[in-house]
């Protein structure tokens, strides 16, 4: 029988638009859920919305709606967020669901009857934005330590949950089971617990927006008491009971206390088994590590950004860029760089080159070979170990090592040469490349499900494969389905369509700034600046020089493009102007994103820049020492 794996995200307050941080949690949880599904586990992934509480009530009032009308209206973008990012959730729970409300009442009654809930009077500082009480000591400049907002002094009759009674048991559970990951968060939490755990006010009499207490209809439940129970209420039915206890709760550190001290105490009081692991990820900040805020104009809207980048690119970026547990910045430049370098260049080119060679040399039919010389270099165990240690970014980096290995394999084996000289060897090389793409489609599925699907379809594989199919030699003599490119290069200009301003146009219209009419200038037609920006020139170094076998005027150059960059092969018309030894070791300027072309049977991936006058040719090179890979601007 398949092993069950139950994983949850927090349920979000639908009190505003979804944030890139919500998206981050969803993606991390989805990657783990998909990884376990691919491993053969029976996965239950839950997300949802937390719809009670004073914040919702306050916002609804401002919008002139009842709280229920308000949450019904605000729900859509959260479901859209999950769907648009291909989150494979099993259940989307709303705390206003009738079944959830009935379940909460049952648990509250049970804890009340046990004697763990008593009536008292509450006095304290309350932050409506985080729906949390603070002591005088917690406040920063008399304001909420998280939001910096005014806190309210509340005095009201309230029911209390005897949380202090469970302090020891909770601390022991956390310590003995290494409940919290990363360990630094666990240590922080345990130290905070040592300062004392007080009983928790769990009801409100000044509002009706909440679940009525079963033992006192004049009061409603405190939002967190009801919200945390979402994790158990959704799997309370006989058919779903097998999923509890949760294997993983995924949260950010803002709600660490709630998911450890409050949640574990509640479960111990209700006699329900505790969850196994609390994964605490970091916070996403704006560019330069600043907190995202509307006033700084650095808020990333996860839905809006989809107009510029496919969801898979953003999923990849979020997982790869920020080591799990650490806070990290979301920068559009970093997103573009990863998209262009790792997705377009590394993975996209590997895919495009492999398919076009199968098309060209085999009429699109994948050749067969039983010699495994590339796939065996992929270390799945290592990737799996990283995932089990929640080092998702390192797992992805390990997969990328293999992507780069595949690109190196193409360059080393030069299939275009083999096509002329060694057909048998070409079969081996191309089969290994096709199989590697298949393997990549499997291991990348949890991170980039759409890309995985596209790779699979391009190999004409009908059925979705899982980790069971990671072995070498599965592909038959399929006819490939070339299709389009996996990713398209992004330019700065296209990044965020809605953010374009009219300013540049206005400038051009100013009288003295008029561009010269196209075509009359001595230098030829003008190229718009945006076109120039699309071109990428980098400094490279000549590593190998060889004559083109089929053209007297051409050389084949192999270029070193700097650390971390794969070598490039370029065909250049320099034979009449340079001896090979004059070129070896020379630094040159390379046009790197020129569409690859086959020049007399040899693939050329770029162009080396040279100046020409009256039949004389000289290469352009940097004037001073500069790193290989430096960009020409
Ligand atoms: N409703 C409660 C959670 C109840 S769970 C029983 C809540 N909601 S929230 O809408 O404020 O969501 C907080 C969570 O959203 C964080 O723990 C994190 O998962 C995610 N994020 C929201 N903004 C974030 C960042 N800037 N960075 C990373 N994640 C953050 O608290």
């Amino acid at each position: 029988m398949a092993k069950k794996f139950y994983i949850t995200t927090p349920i979000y307050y639908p009190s505003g638009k979804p944030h890139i941080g919500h998206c981050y949690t969803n993606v991390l949880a989805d990657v783990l859920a998909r990884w376990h599904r691919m491993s053969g586990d029976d996965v239950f992934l839950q997300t949802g919305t937390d719809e009670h509480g004073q914040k919702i009530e306050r916002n609804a009032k401002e919008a002139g709606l009842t709280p229920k009308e308000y949450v019904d209206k605000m729900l859509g973008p959260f479901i859209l967020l999950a769907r648009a990012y291909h989150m494979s959730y099993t259940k989307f729970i709303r705390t206003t669901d009738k079944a959830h409300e009935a379940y909460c009442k049952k648990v509250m009654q049970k804890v009340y009857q046990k004697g763990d809930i008593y009536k008292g009077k509450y006095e304290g500082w309350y932050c409506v934005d985080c729906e949390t009480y603070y002591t005088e000591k917690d406040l920063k400049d008399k304001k909420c330590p998280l939001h910096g907002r005014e806190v309210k002094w509340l005095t009201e009759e309230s029911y209390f949950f005897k949380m202090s009674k469970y302090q020891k048991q909770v601390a022991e559970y956390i310590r003995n089971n290494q409940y919290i990951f990363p360990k630094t968060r666990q240590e922080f939490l345990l130290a905070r617990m040592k300062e004392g755990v007080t009983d928790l006010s769990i009801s409100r009499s000044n509002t009706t927006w909440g679940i009525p207490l079963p033992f006192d209809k004049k009061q409603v439940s405190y939002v967190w008491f009801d919200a945390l129970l979402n994790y158990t209420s959704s799997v309370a039915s006989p058919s779903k009971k097998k999923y509890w206890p949760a294997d993983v709760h995924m949260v950010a550190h803002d709600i660490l206390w709630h998911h450890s001290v409050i949640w574990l105490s509640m479960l111990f009081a209700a006699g329900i088994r505790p969850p196994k692991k609390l994964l605490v990820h970091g916070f996403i900040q704006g560019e330069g590590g600043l907190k995202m805020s509307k006033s700084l104009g650095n808020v990333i809207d996860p839905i809006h950004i989809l107009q510029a980048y496919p969801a898979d690119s953003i999923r990849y970026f979020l997982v790869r860029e920020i080591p799990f547990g650490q806070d990290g910045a979301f920068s559009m430049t970093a997103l573009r760089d990863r998209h262009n370098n790792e997705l377009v260049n590394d993975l996209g080119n590997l895919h495009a080159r492999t398919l076009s060679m199968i098309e060209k040399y085999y009429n699109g039919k994948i050749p067969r070979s039983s010699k495994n010389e590339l796939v065996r270099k992929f270390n799945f165990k290592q990737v799996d170990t990283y995932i089990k240690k929640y080092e998702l970014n390192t797992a992805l980096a390990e997969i990328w090592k293999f992507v780069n290995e595949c690109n190196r394999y193409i360059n080393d084996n030069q299939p275009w040469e083999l096509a002329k000289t060694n057909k048998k060897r070409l079969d081996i090389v191309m089969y290994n490349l096709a199989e590697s793409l298949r393997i990549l489609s499997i291991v990348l599925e949890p991170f980039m499900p759409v890309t995985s699907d596209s790779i699979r379809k391009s190999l004409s594989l009908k059925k979705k494969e899982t980790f069971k199919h990671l072995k070498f030699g599965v592909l038959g003599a399929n006819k490939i389905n070339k299709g389009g490119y996996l990713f398209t290069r992004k330019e700065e200009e296209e990044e965020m369509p809605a953010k374009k301003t009219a300013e540049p146009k206005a400038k051009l219209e100013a009288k003295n700034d008029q561009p010269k009419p196209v075509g009359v200038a001595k230098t030829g037609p003008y190229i718009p600046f945006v076109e120039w920006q699309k071109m990428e020139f980098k400094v490279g170094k000549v590593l190998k020089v060889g004559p083109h076998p089929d053209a007297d005027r051409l050389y084949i150059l192999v270029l070193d493009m700097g650390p971390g960059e794969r070598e490039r092969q370029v065909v250049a018309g320099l034979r009449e102007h340079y001896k090979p030894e004059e070129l070896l070791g020379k630094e040159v300027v390379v046009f790197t994103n020129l569409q690859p072309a086959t020049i007399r049977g040899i693939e050329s991936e770029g162009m080396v820049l040279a100046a020409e006058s009256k039949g004389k040719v000289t290469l352009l090179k940097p004037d001073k020492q500069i790193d290989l890979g430096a960009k020409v601007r």
Side-chain angles (χ1 to χ4, degrees):
M1 219 177 69
K3 224 168 72 199
K4 69 93 188 170
F5 183 74
Y6 179 24
I7 175 163
T8 67
T9 72
I11 48 171
Y12 308 115
Y13 293 127
S15 51
K17 282 204 294 189
H19 186 277
I20 191 75
H22 298 136
C23 179
Y24 183 47
T25 317
N26 283 357
V27 168
L28 292 176
D30 191 46
V31 168
L32 283 183
R34 284 177 181 270
W35 192 268
H36 279 265
R37 229 177 262 124
M38 293 294 265
S39 312
D41 293 353
D42 173 8
V43 173
F44 194 98
L45 167 61
Q46 171 153 295
T47 186
T49 39
D50 185 356
E51 304 188 347
H52 292 121
Q54 296 184 30
K55 182 158 52 173
I56 297 284
E57 196 183 28
R58 180 191 69 190
N59 289 7
K61 204 166 165 198
E62 279 167 18
L65 299 170
T66 66
K68 183 66 169 71
E69 283 167 347
Y70 178 78
V71 291
D72 284 350
K73 184 173 151 231
M74 301 297 284
L75 172 72
F78 285 86
I79 295 181
L80 176 68
L81 176 77
R83 296 231 169 116
Y85 280 85
H86 310 288
M87 186 186 188
S88 59
Y89 61 82
T90 321
K91 177 157 175 141
F92 189 104
I93 193 172
R94 301 180 61 184
T95 51
T96 48
D97 289 344
K98 287 283 159 276
H100 173 74
E101 296 195 356
Y103 174 86
C104 287
K105 285 183 187 164
K106 258 184 19 205
V107 175
M108 289 190 267
Q109 184 66 30
K110 191 168 173 191
V111 178
Y112 181 68
Q113 273 167 357
K114 191 176 174 187
D116 278 351
I117 292 176
Y118 62 92
K119 202 171 185 177
K121 196 170 162 210
Y122 187 77
E123 285 191 328
W125 295 107
Y126 194 71
C127 169
V128 175
D129 281 283
C130 34
E131 302 277 14
T132 298
Y133 290 106
Y134 290 104
T135 63
E136 194 80 46
K137 207 165 78 206
D138 292 330
L139 301 180
K140 247 195 209 153
D141 300 330
K142 304 220 153 124
K143 291 191 174 140
C144 161
L146 267 187
H147 296 93
R149 296 240 192 144
E150 298 291 336
V151 282
K152 276 202 283 195
W153 179 256
L154 289 189
T155 307
E156 59 178 333
E157 205 169 60
S158 168
Y159 285 89
F160 283 81
F161 167 51
K162 286 186 186 165
M163 199 153 79
S164 57
K165 175 177 160 189
Y166 294 97
Q167 174 167 0
K168 195 160 160 254
Q169 194 181 350
V170 165
E172 265 170 20
Y173 179 79
I174 292 175
R175 211 175 292 114
N176 295 344
N177 295 281
Q178 296 296 313
Y179 173 60
I180 301 166
F181 179 87
K183 213 175 158 101
T184 44
R185 294 277 170 209
Q186 171 155 312
E187 280 156 10
F188 168 82
L189 192 273
L190 288 172
R192 200 179 142 195
M193 281 184 83
K194 271 200 189 130
E195 289 171 19
V197 173
T198 51
D199 290 349
L200 180 73
S201 157
I202 54 146
S203 71
R204 297 281 175 276
S205 55
N206 59 357
T207 171
T208 51
W209 184 237
I211 301 176
L213 296 186
F215 43 85
D216 186 343
K217 304 271 178 321
K218 289 200 291 297
Q219 301 236 7
V220 296
S221 156
Y222 164 48
V223 61
W224 270 99
F225 206 84
D226 131 38
L228 285 161
L229 286 170
N230 88 86
Y231 301 131
T232 42
S233 84
S234 58
V235 292
S237 69
S239 66
K240 308 253 168 54
K241 248 167 61 187
K242 61 177 175 187
Y243 290 109
W244 191 257
D247 295 271
V248 169
H249 288 315
M250 179 78 76
V251 298
H253 48 68
D254 54 338
I255 50 179
L256 167 61
W257 178 265
H258 307 77
H259 281 79
S260 44
V261 181
I262 302 182
W263 182 220
L264 293 178
S265 308
M266 281 170 65
L267 290 170
F268 288 142
I272 301 171
R273 279 199 289 162
K276 294 186 189 157
K277 200 66 124 212
L278 181 64
L279 294 188
V280 185
H281 66 71
F283 247 58
I284 303 229
Q285 298 148 338
E287 208 120 3
L290 296 171
K291 187 175 156 47
M292 277 190 198
S293 79
K294 283 195 192 127
S295 55
L296 286 175
N298 63 353
V299 176
I300 303 276
D301 175 339
I303 300 291
H304 179 225
I305 199 179
L306 290 174
Q307 289 180 29
Y309 285 87
D312 269 12
S313 293
I314 302 163
R315 287 175 66 110
Y316 174 85
F317 174 74
L318 288 170
V319 177
R320 181 85 195 257
E321 179 80 0
I322 309 162
F324 188 96
Q326 292 179 23
D327 291 348
F330 193 107
S331 120
M332 290 305 289
T333 319
L335 169 63
R336 193 181 66 233
D337 284 351
R338 286 208 184 266
H339 172 90
N340 284 347
N341 297 335
E342 286 150 40
L343 300 181
V344 179
N345 287 355
D346 298 346
L347 181 62
N349 275 348
L350 169 66
H351 179 253
R353 289 163 91 195
T354 303
L355 291 191
S356 67
M357 288 191 282
I358 293 175
E359 181 82 39
K360 186 164 173 200
Y361 304 135
Y362 296 93
N363 239 332
K365 203 163 153 201
I366 303 170
R368 289 280 316 186
S369 166
S370 54
K371 188 161 184 217
N372 178 359
E373 50 178 36
L374 181 61
V375 172
R376 66 187 168 80
K377 294 193 177 154
F378 177 57
N379 192 344
F380 175 73
K381 269 223 174 87
Q382 182 66 73
V383 181
D384 192 49
T385 308
Y386 286 136
I387 296 273
K388 300 286 157 56
K389 289 199 290 180
Y390 315 114
E391 292 178 27
L392 306 193
N393 66 316
T394 325
L396 208 40
E398 184 68 30
I399 297 176
W400 238 250
K401 271 194 201 160
F402 182 61
V403 171
N404 292 331
E405 184 73 46
C406 292
N407 277 317
R408 221 174 0 256
Y409 183 75
I410 297 186
N411 295 349
D412 290 350
N413 282 286
Q414 310 208 341
W416 46 94
E417 279 296 314
L418 298 176
K420 284 186 288 178
T421 56
N422 192 344
K423 203 74 198 323
K424 249 195 175 154
R425 175 104 199 103
L426 183 69
D427 288 355
I428 299 174
V429 171
M430 294 317 299
Y431 187 69
N432 270 271
L433 285 168
E435 270 289 89
S436 300
L437 283 179
R438 187 183 64 78
I439 299 293
L440 284 169
S441 84
I442 299 174
V443 292
L444 286 176
E445 194 273 352
F447 304 94
M448 295 190 285
V450 176
T451 307
S452 152
D453 233 44
S454 306
I455 300 177
R456 201 167 43 79
K457 286 190 182 133
S458 68
L459 296 170
S460 298
L461 286 163
K462 301 250 152 23
K463 275 215 235 118
K464 192 165 169 176
E465 297 183 320
T466 66
F467 294 158
K468 271 202 312 234
H469 303 93
L470 280 173
K471 54 186 181 298
F472 175 82
V474 170
L475 271 177
N478 295 4
K479 183 115 175 110
I480 57 155
N481 195 348
K482 207 164 157 246
Y485 290 104
L486 291 181
F487 301 96
T488 47
R489 178 166 289 277
K490 292 292 163 203
E491 315 303 336
E492 208 165 347
E493 283 299 301
E494 318 166 20
E495 247 164 33
M496 294 301 274
K499 280 198 182 150
K500 277 191 180 167
T501 62
E503 208 187 321
K505 196 167 161 234
K507 266 196 188 150
L508 273 184
E509 279 162 6
K511 248 201 166 151
N512 299 330
D513 251 351
Q514 288 287 344
K516 295 201 178 82
V518 167
V520 298
K522 239 185 167 175
T523 46
Y526 281 104
I527 301 290
F529 185 59
V530 287
E531 294 301 320
W532 150 256
Q533 277 187 314
K534 285 184 194 165
M535 295 188 245
E536 190 185 66
F537 298 92
K538 286 185 176 172
V539 174
K541 188 162 136 186
V542 181
L543 283 182
K544 290 182 203 162
V545 186
H548 190 297
D550 239 347
D552 293 344
R553 295 186 317 128
L554 302 179
Y555 274 134
I556 303 171
L557 309 179
V558 177
L559 305 171
D560 180 356
M561 298 308 298
E565 285 285 331
R566 64 191 170 78
E567 292 170 8
R568 263 170 204 265
Q569 173 173 291
V570 166
V571 174
L574 294 171
R575 224 153 128 187
E576 292 169 336
H577 310 283
Y578 284 91
K579 293 195 186 97
E581 57 273 24
E582 290 178 290
L583 291 173
L584 271 176
K586 188 159 260 166
E587 282 178 352
V588 288
V589 178
V590 190
F591 184 5
T592 46
N593 61 345
L594 180 67
Q595 181 153 18
T598 308
I599 302 174
R600 300 237 180 146
I602 303 286
E603 195 173 17
S604 181
E605 311 165 87
M607 211 169 170
V608 176
L609 298 196
E612 181 183 13
S613 172
K614 298 178 193 138
K616 222 175 128 187
V617 168
T618 180
L619 282 167
L620 299 187
K621 59 185 194 98
D623 193 31
K624 281 188 194 153
Q625 202 283 323
I626 185 112
D627 291 343
L628 293 185
K631 275 193 187 166
V632 177
R633 295 177 189 283

